Amino acid sequence: MIGLDWGTTSLRAYRLDPTGAVMGKRESKSGILSVKPGGFADELRKIAGDWLEDSEKLVVISGMAGSKQGWAEAPYLPCPATVTDIARATLPVPFPATRVRLVPGLKARDADGVPEVMRGEETQILGILDRLPEQEVTLCLPGSHSKWVRVRAGQILGFWTQMTGEVFAALSAHTILARSLHRGAAHHPGAFARGLDRARQGGGLLHQLFGLRSLSLFDAMPQMEAASYLSGLLIGHEVAAALEAGVAPPVHIIGAAALTLRYSAALAAFGVPSVVEEEDAAAQGLFRIGVAIEGTRFSLQ
Amino acid sequence: MIGLDWGTTSLRAYRLDPTGAVMGKRESKSGILSVKPGGFADELRKIAGDWLEDSEKLVVISGMAGSKQGWAEAPYLPCPATVTDIARATLPVPFPATRVRLVPGLKARDADGVPEVMRGEETQILGILDRLPEQEVTLCLPGSHSKWVRVRAGQILGFWTQMTGEVFAALSAHTILARSLHRGAAHHPGAFARGLDRARQGGGLLHQLFGLRSLSLFDAMPQMEAASYLSGLLIGHEVAAALEAGVAPPVHIIGAAALTLRYSAALAAFGVPSVVEEEDAAAQGLFRIGVAIEGTRFSLQ
């Protein structure tokens, strides 16, 4: 089978053998924002045409390709949800001689009843779900919109989001803080730790953000360290809120290494153990959904 | 005398009689960012040349004109500070036949020892300071960088900043929230109140920001209300942090009417009474500093 992780600004394609092993992996910048309406089938042929000709008959696609702005809209499926639920809810799209299916996003409600959505992360979660212990586990998927997820015995129970990554990007580029930091600076673990410490002091986030500016005015915040400090400050607030809401340690962190290591350090600073999962959980998640589709195909239309 | 409130993007000039009454008021967009190096004296002549020819001999200038990027740098004066301290620390700049003085900003430290700065707000505070009761009073000056200030018996004791206004601007223009809100929409008191309520729920600010997006995805957040909701959410977090740090009610709010009314409503939602001060406190502050300069001139060089 073929699995596609098709996001807003990137596209990853995997060719998977019947055991789930990745036989081929390709990446392109053809995220859904760069695909013209009606152009999704052509884009699929472009990245995986030879695999399709070479007898692959099932394509599972996760991510924003299944959103309103994508190939077609696979509506959000409510939590709790299992891999079977998600496989059943995949949306078929027309394609010659091949079954092509879009993975739905998930929806939930936070503790105060406010709606929550994810699209793409559910597939990463499924990639590690059957290797987790049976009891409740908390997953963290850091990013522009970090997801904190409760799972138990093969079920995605619920989740909530923190806009940490996107807030970092907006503040570091579009406020007075831009003058205090060098955005291309390498990660500075000491400054990151200072930011984490600061997050546990008083005054709230909106106050502590200004402190970065005033520290820099008084030459107490080197430009090459300020971005890491800001990152620590925001991730510190995120982790503090997550712990207040309740987690089941160790927290399993899924994502790119640069981020998972920061979150692991942040959780450790709060005394919470974590496990960093493999980076490429999406391929395994797409495989699990493919297997579930095969397993349920006779009960599907 | 002449008083100038000279900020980053605007310039206001006041002609004041010996009682402090405003005899003339002029505004221009010649904020310090639009003045070329060495051009400040010319800009002063442009906005107040006729007043100067008509015998005015003292010009007091507050705001960013006294910063490193301005006419000359009047270094930050530490708190606690009185009008006399500030008058003594004004920085003379050369100008023919007229004393022209730049008002220094103030510096302080927050409860955790992080430095704090203001420049311009100290003059607005002095504009109302001698009308306040002798005991400790909390002032709130909302804006891009809101200031919460402790004053007592003519002294500015200390202050701290929250970056609320600038964070609002960055988030509403440069994140996914931009798609959910109409930035030109009129203030919507009901949505503002919903945002205030939300600020008192769980999950932290970074989580609650994403909720605005997900509410909008599920058609539960009209675009014309979303900016007011976001404003209520951020101001709610600011006020909650201020109350946690401690205020001496009623809080006196100084600033433009559109903002002071929101802060008054936010404080009321938290059960804290407030007094909205006149909008144009800078003119009176410049006058008080001018009087203090006259009073101390024989002790100055």
Side-chain angles (χ1 to χ4, degrees):
Chain A
M1 65 166 283
I2 294 169
L4 261 57
D5 175 8
W6 205 335
T8 306
T9 58
S10 71
L11 168 59
R12 287 194 189 85
Y14 305 93
R15 189 177 188 182
L16 300 155
D17 80 4
T19 70
V22 176
M23 302 162 63
K25 178 178 172 179
R26 292 172 186 168
E27 294 193 41
S28 95
K29 296 198 169 163
S30 298
I32 68 156
L33 291 182
S34 69
V35 179
K36 58 181 186 298
F40 285 89
D42 283 347
E43 206 62 46
L44 168 56
R45 275 187 207 99
K46 204 183 291 175
I47 199 160
D50 54 338
W51 295 346
L52 289 165
E53 280 171 23
D54 194 23
S55 85
E56 295 296 354
K57 293 291 171 243
L58 174 65
V59 180
V60 179
I61 303 176
S62 67
M64 294 306 282
S67 73
K68 216 175 278 186
Q69 292 79 38
W71 192 334
E73 190 182 6
Y76 293 106
L77 189 68
C79 284
T82 64
V83 66
T84 310
D85 299 331
I86 290 171
R88 279 184 206 273
T90 53
L91 183 76
V93 285
F95 196 87
T98 308
R99 281 175 301 147
V100 178
R101 289 174 174 273
L102 302 175
V103 176
L106 295 182
K107 62 183 175 182
R109 293 198 174 263
D110 77 3
D112 296 297
V114 174
E116 275 290 347
V117 291
M118 64 164 61
R119 194 180 282 284
E121 292 92 346
E122 74 296 324
T123 301
Q124 294 180 271
I125 296 164
L126 295 178
I128 68 157
L129 196 51
D130 60 2
R131 290 192 281 102
L132 295 174
E134 284 288 293
Q135 69 268 29
E136 183 168 326
V137 170
T138 303
L139 309 181
C140 169
L141 292 86
S144 292
H145 302 162
S146 296
K147 306 291 180 187
W148 292 77
V149 189
R150 293 169 51 229
V151 302
R152 188 180 58 220
Q155 283 195 314
I156 301 174
L157 297 174
F159 62 91
W160 60 302
T161 307
Q162 301 224 45
M163 236 175 85
T164 312
E166 200 176 2
V167 170
F168 174 85
L171 296 178
S172 60
H174 299 289
T175 69
I176 199 165
L177 301 183
R179 297 190 211 167
S180 301
L181 56 81
H182 183 76
R183 280 195 280 157
H187 180 59
H188 189 290
F192 181 77
R194 270 178 81 194
L196 288 177
D197 287 345
R198 180 67 171 143
R200 284 184 285 181
Q201 295 182 345
L205 177 57
L206 295 170
H207 166 60
Q208 292 169 354
L209 289 171
F210 185 75
L212 170 50
R213 173 66 183 161
S214 52
L215 284 168
S216 132
L217 276 177
F218 290 103
D219 297 322
M221 176 60 63
Q223 249 191 340
M224 296 302 285
E225 298 181 12
S228 293
Y229 177 89
L230 177 60
S231 174
L233 182 58
L234 291 169
I235 292 174
H237 276 273
E238 173 179 351
V239 168
L243 298 183
E244 205 181 308
V247 300
V251 174
H252 291 251
I253 311 174
I254 311 175
L259 273 180
T260 54
L261 293 176
R262 291 187 193 199
Y263 276 74
S264 182
L267 283 159
F270 283 86
V272 175
S274 61
V275 177
V276 173
E277 297 288 343
E278 64 187 311
E279 204 163 318
D280 213 351
Q284 286 313 302
L286 289 161
F287 175 71
R288 298 286 163 203
I289 297 169
V291 169
I293 288 171
E294 295 294 351
T296 59
R297 64 187 295 193
F298 300 107
S299 64
L300 293 169
Q301 291 164 315
Chain B
M1 64 167 283
I2 294 168
L4 262 58
D5 176 8
W6 205 336
T8 307
T9 58
S10 72
L11 168 59
R12 289 194 189 83
Y14 305 93
R15 189 177 189 181
L16 300 154
D17 81 4
T19 70
V22 176
M23 302 162 63
K25 178 178 173 179
R26 291 170 187 169
E27 295 193 41
S28 95
K29 296 196 169 164
S30 298
I32 68 156
L33 291 183
S34 69
V35 179
K36 57 180 187 298
F40 285 89
D42 282 346
E43 206 62 47
L44 168 56
R45 276 185 207 100
K46 205 183 292 176
I47 200 160
D50 54 337
W51 295 346
L52 289 165
E53 281 170 23
D54 194 23
S55 85
E56 297 296 353
K57 293 290 171 245
L58 176 63
V59 180
V60 179
I61 303 176
S62 67
M64 295 304 284
S67 73
K68 217 174 279 185
Q69 293 78 38
W71 192 333
E73 189 181 5
Y76 294 107
L77 188 69
C79 285
T82 65
V83 66
T84 310
D85 299 330
I86 289 170
R88 278 184 206 274
T90 52
L91 182 76
V93 285
F95 196 88
T98 307
R99 283 176 301 146
V100 179
R101 289 175 174 273
L102 302 175
V103 176
L106 295 183
K107 62 183 176 182
R109 292 199 175 261
D110 76 5
D112 296 296
V114 174
E116 275 288 347
V117 291
M118 64 164 61
R119 195 178 283 284
E121 293 92 345
E122 74 295 325
T123 302
Q124 293 180 270
I125 295 166
L126 295 177
I128 68 158
L129 195 53
D130 60 2
R131 290 192 282 101
L132 295 174
E134 284 290 293
Q135 69 269 30
E136 183 169 325
V137 171
T138 303
L139 309 181
C140 169
L141 292 87
S144 291
H145 302 162
S146 295
K147 305 292 181 188
W148 291 77
V149 189
R150 294 168 51 228
V151 302
R152 188 181 58 221
Q155 282 195 315
I156 301 174
L157 298 175
F159 62 93
W160 59 302
T161 307
Q162 300 224 42
M163 237 176 84
T164 313
E166 200 177 2
V167 170
F168 174 85
L171 296 178
S172 59
H174 300 289
T175 68
I176 199 167
L177 301 183
R179 299 191 209 166
S180 300
L181 57 79
H182 183 78
R183 280 195 280 158
H187 180 59
H188 189 290
F192 181 77
R194 271 179 80 194
L196 288 176
D197 287 344
R198 180 66 172 145
R200 283 186 285 179
Q201 295 182 345
L205 177 56
L206 296 169
H207 166 59
Q208 293 170 354
L209 290 170
F210 185 77
L212 170 49
R213 174 66 183 161
S214 52
L215 284 168
S216 132
L217 275 178
F218 290 104
D219 298 323
M221 177 59 65
Q223 249 192 340
M224 296 302 285
E225 298 181 12
S228 294
Y229 177 90
L230 178 59
S231 173
L233 183 58
L234 291 168
I235 292 174
H237 275 273
E238 173 179 351
V239 168
L243 298 183
E244 205 181 308
V247 301
V251 174
H252 292 250
I253 310 173
I254 311 175
L259 272 181
T260 53
L261 294 176
R262 290 187 193 200
Y263 276 74
S264 182
L267 283 159
F270 283 86
V272 175
S274 61
V275 177
V276 172
E277 297 287 344
E278 65 188 309
E279 203 163 321
D280 213 353
Q284 285 313 300
L286 289 160
F287 175 72
R288 298 287 161 202
I289 298 169
V291 169
I293 289 172
E294 295 293 354
T296 59
R297 63 188 294 191
F298 300 109
S299 64
L300 294 169
Q301 292 165 314

